[in-house]
């Protein structure tokens, strides 16, 4: 079993048995496929006692589009590799890799089935007190330990080579930074937004700001990113927060992950206007989301600065004020990337259930309009932000 | 002959004969070693008619230090690779590679013996009217064609991998950005500079600015750099300018090469005060050097912007104003790197003959003091520069 073949439930089960070590020898195992993701097969293998593992297999094409969109199997190697690297420095918030097979593009993972996917929970107006702190801790910790602050220069260069991920990066390069800002058949939005989209697509200041963000996505290998931190990549309960699915991982700008996360919280924020009719309940989730963003920014900043203060290995980067300067750049980047996430999830190829799931067309359109406005506002004003308080005020000025 | 062995003249000649094709079959060939560089063996092989080629071989250690400083042979691959890539887009100003052997770390090059090494010529107060224009054309052209403006993203990522050059980059990382700014036994300067150096090493603002430059050297793979553009890497005559020796090549910030070049012109500028007693003659070379810097900046800017306007492939980076923004960042970087070159050539490990060759100790010390002052001034004020005119005025304010 070393040549690639796409699994069905039976083959997945056979594979797990063949590898062995996950279950008791006499266990009665069941296996079923339940992946609803865009790109992969996902199986759950369980014994009769309820103990279970996840087997994930990459397909040689994008599942959501079909075989017409071929996609490298190498992404399974990248995904497992990022999880192992991130898990080594932040095991609390990284799903655990139990086994990897590069030829078959198979990864076996701990089963997080006891947790829930954050996006669905937020859409049900559920809140999680630790979310901001946990995600920010994950982002700051993984950002620091794979940066120039900490890694030996030669070690970092070798990791940049190992995590070179051209095909998956190309998807982001196209979908985040190109498609929404031009007439493109991959874009998807209702007719009613046409005038707004035309205005956006002829806004030169906006396109210039987006070009700067794209250039830093291309050429700013600050750290090993997750690469796809949206609320569908986060499993949660009251006490636990786990990141999954870093197949878009590569060495890029720290602000990209941070901005993507906050962007998804804001997508949920604007969606709640169309989801919840009762004003107090809506206010509660809005308050929660804003508080979570504040906590995220504060925790990210303090965690990163603490790590930099205590563990920076590079002599020059220990210079007084450098870590603060770095974090300021991350914040600015994050605002911009947050803005591009809002724009591309509203008018680009891949939308979010938060907004698309709003039943009333009119309310859906309002949410889309607000997301589009907010996204542009953030992209255009990122340069004026010096502190996390500025970031938050910029948000408020556009939301209220 | 595939296992590495260091050549002597006889072996070099045998190798050239074995490869064949460089000379007539009945040619009477001679070979001698004449390398005076820091890291390699360099042989000239010539026939009786005066036709000749250069055979360059990397040694597994730094020649200038000895076998105690081991150094990867892979630099020969990098050097030949950069020359081939740069030669493909700017053949006028790149020495031509005729043959390459990775195992032996051997590169055969066209013989530029009809030209002179720029550093020695400048030290003799010789001037070259095309120098600024030619070097700037080389820097702008090579910078553009290996940047995100032009390359397919996947192609650029593959080249970044190909030109990953950890050992040689580490030398720059240490010698440019670390050693001069701390007490370090590799530093070298006269006792009389001790107080100045102590002041420099306790200047937090300076060290912060240098940290930012080091971080961009680490993590700003804008283009395939030469990596070591000093006046000893440039061959010239009245009509010709050729760059050699890019063994420090890697994907880094465009401003590094530009700043290194201008830094070397400025090192010569301050050295001339101690080299030339006749004031009009000294004024002439000073005028020439400043004019060359102005031409370099103007030609770099116009060439890069022209290339960007006509040949940018990336859709987003075609945005109005982006190329100008990029060039502005390059200028700021260049000032900073220029400053670090002045500092490290004055108090670090590797000095320049321009200054070290000043006979009178007092005059030599004056030149060193001026270089050290100028370097710090540029590093500290780079952030205030928006245009090439600002750059030039900043220079003048510190020189006059």
């Amino acid at each position: 079993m070393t040549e690639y073949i796409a699994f069905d439930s039976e083959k997945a089960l056979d594979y797990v048995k063949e590898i062995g070590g996950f279950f008791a020898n006499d266990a009665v195992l069941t296996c079923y496929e339940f992946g609803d993701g865009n790109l992969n097969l996902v199986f759950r293998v369980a014994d009769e006692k309820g103990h279970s593992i996840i087997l994930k297999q990459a397909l040689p094409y994008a599942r959501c589009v079909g075989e017409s969109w071929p996609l490298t199997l190498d992404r399974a190697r990248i995904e497992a590799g990022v999880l192992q690297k991130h898990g080594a420095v932040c095991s609390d918030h990284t799903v655990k890799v139990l086994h990897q097979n590069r030829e078959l593009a198979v990864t076996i993972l701990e089963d997080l089935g006891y947790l829930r996917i954050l996006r669905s929970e937020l859409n049900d107006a559920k809140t999680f007190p630790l979310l901001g702190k946990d995600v920010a801790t994950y982002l700051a910790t993984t950002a620091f330990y794979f940066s120039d602050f900490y890694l030996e220069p030669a070690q970092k260069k070798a990791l940049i080579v190992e995590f070179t991920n051209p095909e998956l990066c190309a998807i982001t390069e196209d979908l985040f930074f190109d498609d929404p800002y031009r007439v493109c058949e991959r874009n998807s939005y209702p007719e009613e937004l046409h005038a707004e989209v035309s205005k956006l697509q002829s806004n030169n200041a906006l396109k210039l700001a987006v070009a700067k963000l794209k250039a830093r996505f291309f050429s700013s290998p600050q750290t090993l990113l997750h690469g796809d931190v949206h609320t569908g990549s986060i499993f949660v309960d009251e006490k636990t927060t786990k990141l999954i699915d870093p197949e878009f991982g590569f060495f890029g700008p720290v602000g990209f992950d941070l901005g993507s996360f906050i962007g998804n919280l804001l997508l949920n924020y604007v969606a709640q206007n169309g989801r919840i009719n009762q004003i107090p309940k809506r206010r509660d989730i809005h308050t929660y989301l804003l508080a979570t963003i504040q906590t995220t920014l504060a925790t990210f900043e303090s965690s990163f600065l603490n790590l930099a203060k205590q563990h920076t290995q590079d002599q020059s980067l220990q210079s007084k004020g450098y870590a603060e300067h770095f974090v300021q750049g991350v914040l600015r980047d994050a605002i911009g990337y947050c803005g591009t996430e809002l724009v591309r999830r509203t008018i680009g190829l891949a939308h979010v259930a938060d907004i698309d799931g709003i039943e009333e067309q009119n309310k859906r359109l309002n949410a889309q309009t607000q997301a589009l406005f907010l996204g542009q506002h953030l992209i255009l004003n990122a340069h004026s932000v010096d502190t996390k308080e500025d970031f938050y005020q910029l948000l408020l000025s556009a939301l209220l």
Side-chain angles (χ1 to χ4, degrees), chain A:
Chain A
M1 264 183 133
T2 52
E3 202 171 319
Y4 181 82
I5 180 173
F7 283 0
D8 53 21
S9 307
E10 199 180 336
K11 288 205 183 76
L13 186 54
D14 288 346
Y15 183 79
V16 167
K17 287 178 180 168
E18 191 187 316
I19 299 296
F22 300 112
F23 298 97
N25 286 337
D26 57 352
V28 181
L29 298 180
T30 57
C31 177
Y32 62 98
E33 211 277 325
F34 69 105
D36 58 351
N38 293 330
L39 307 173
N40 307 292
L41 295 170
V42 187
F43 303 91
R44 172 172 285 124
V45 181
D47 65 16
E48 72 281 15
K49 294 173 191 154
H51 173 56
S52 59
I53 57 174
I54 297 297
L55 184 150
K56 183 168 177 180
Q57 184 180 39
L59 289 164
Y61 51 85
R63 192 180 185 190
C64 60
V65 180
E67 303 195 12
S68 63
W69 188 345
L71 202 55
T72 176
L73 293 173
D74 191 48
R75 67 188 194 273
R77 175 188 68 83
I78 296 274
E79 178 173 344
V82 175
L83 289 176
Q84 285 163 332
K85 295 288 176 198
H86 284 186
V89 299
C90 190
S91 60
D92 283 356
H93 304 305
T94 312
V95 63
K96 197 169 174 185
V97 175
L98 306 175
H99 167 83
Q100 194 199 355
N101 182 319
R102 290 192 188 179
E103 289 68 34
L104 291 170
V106 158
T107 310
I108 297 181
L109 299 155
E110 66 171 319
D111 188 357
L112 299 178
Y114 65 101
L115 303 174
R116 312 295 292 269
I117 292 174
L118 176 59
R119 189 183 303 284
S120 317
E121 299 299 292
L122 291 177
N123 284 341
D124 289 342
K126 303 264 172 59
T127 61
F128 301 87
L130 299 178
L131 179 66
K133 183 173 156 294
D134 284 356
V135 172
T137 300
Y138 166 83
L139 293 175
T141 309
T142 56
F144 177 79
Y145 281 108
F146 297 97
S147 74
D148 295 315
F149 286 88
Y150 184 76
L151 290 177
E152 276 288 313
Q155 195 186 2
K156 176 152 179 276
K157 289 173 177 80
L159 287 175
I160 288 174
V161 171
E162 182 178 341
F163 290 98
T164 294
N165 194 1
E167 284 194 42
L168 282 280
C169 281
I171 295 175
T172 306
E173 287 151 13
D174 291 345
L175 299 189
F176 262 78
F177 306 112
D178 280 357
D179 293 359
Y181 305 94
R182 59 174 182 139
V183 176
C184 169
E185 62 180 18
R186 278 190 298 222
N187 288 337
S188 161
Y189 51 85
E191 181 55 32
E192 292 85 347
L193 280 181
H194 186 77
E196 272 309 310
V197 172
S198 288
K199 231 166 71 187
L200 176 151
Q201 290 177 345
S202 57
N203 184 337
N204 283 332
L206 185 75
K207 292 204 277 193
L208 174 58
V210 172
K212 294 176 189 176
L213 291 164
K214 190 181 188 192
R216 281 202 290 289
F217 187 85
F218 275 141
S219 288
S220 188
Q222 293 177 331
T223 198
L224 179 57
L225 296 182
H226 177 288
D228 195 23
V229 180
H230 59 81
T231 48
S233 302
I234 302 173
F235 272 95
V236 284
D237 69 10
E238 294 298 308
K239 295 173 300 185
T240 313
T241 311
K242 296 272 187 188
L243 277 283
I244 64 164
D245 283 359
E247 62 200 328
F248 285 82
F250 76 111
F251 273 78
V254 174
F256 183 75
D257 278 353
L258 181 61
S260 299
F261 175 62
I262 295 173
N264 276 268
L265 297 181
L266 291 171
L267 286 161
N268 191 263
Y269 184 104
V270 302
Q272 296 297 356
N273 292 323
R275 291 184 159 269
I276 304 177
N277 288 323
Q278 300 152 275
I279 290 176
K281 200 180 156 198
R282 195 200 297 162
R283 200 172 49 214
D284 285 351
I285 181 89
H286 276 168
T287 302
Y288 166 75
L289 289 166
L290 290 179
T292 301
I293 291 172
Q294 280 189 299
T295 306
T296 301
L297 293 171
T299 307
F300 178 86
E301 182 177 272
S302 63
S303 301
F304 196 96
L305 292 178
N306 276 337
L307 286 166
K309 196 169 181 180
Q310 290 174 39
H311 300 297
T312 296
Q313 301 300 304
D314 186 86
Q315 195 134 18
S316 178
L317 303 194
Q318 286 170 6
S319 299
K320 199 168 148 63
Y322 179 70
E324 288 78 3
H325 164 80
F326 182 87
V327 167
Q328 188 182 71
V330 170
L331 279 183
R332 280 196 193 136
D333 281 354
I335 300 164
Y337 290 121
C338 175
T340 58
E341 174 72 353
L342 286 159
V343 169
R344 72 114 179 174
R345 293 291 197 178
T346 307
I347 64 173
L349 173 69
H351 291 199
V352 290
D354 315 41
I355 290 176
D356 280 13
I358 298 172
E359 282 177 20
E360 284 179 53
Q361 192 202 347
N362 194 40
K363 290 183 173 174
R364 194 166 63 241
L365 201 60
N366 282 342
Q368 289 169 318
T369 306
Q370 199 185 0
L372 209 53
F373 169 76
L374 180 58
Q376 294 178 83
H377 186 72
L378 295 179
I379 295 169
L380 284 167
N381 291 287
H383 64 91
S384 70
V385 165
D386 286 327
T387 65
K388 60 183 188 299
E389 289 75 22
D390 295 345
F391 186 165
Y392 189 69
Q393 289 307 320
L394 180 64
L395 267 186
L396 286 190
S397 72
L399 280 175
L400 301 180

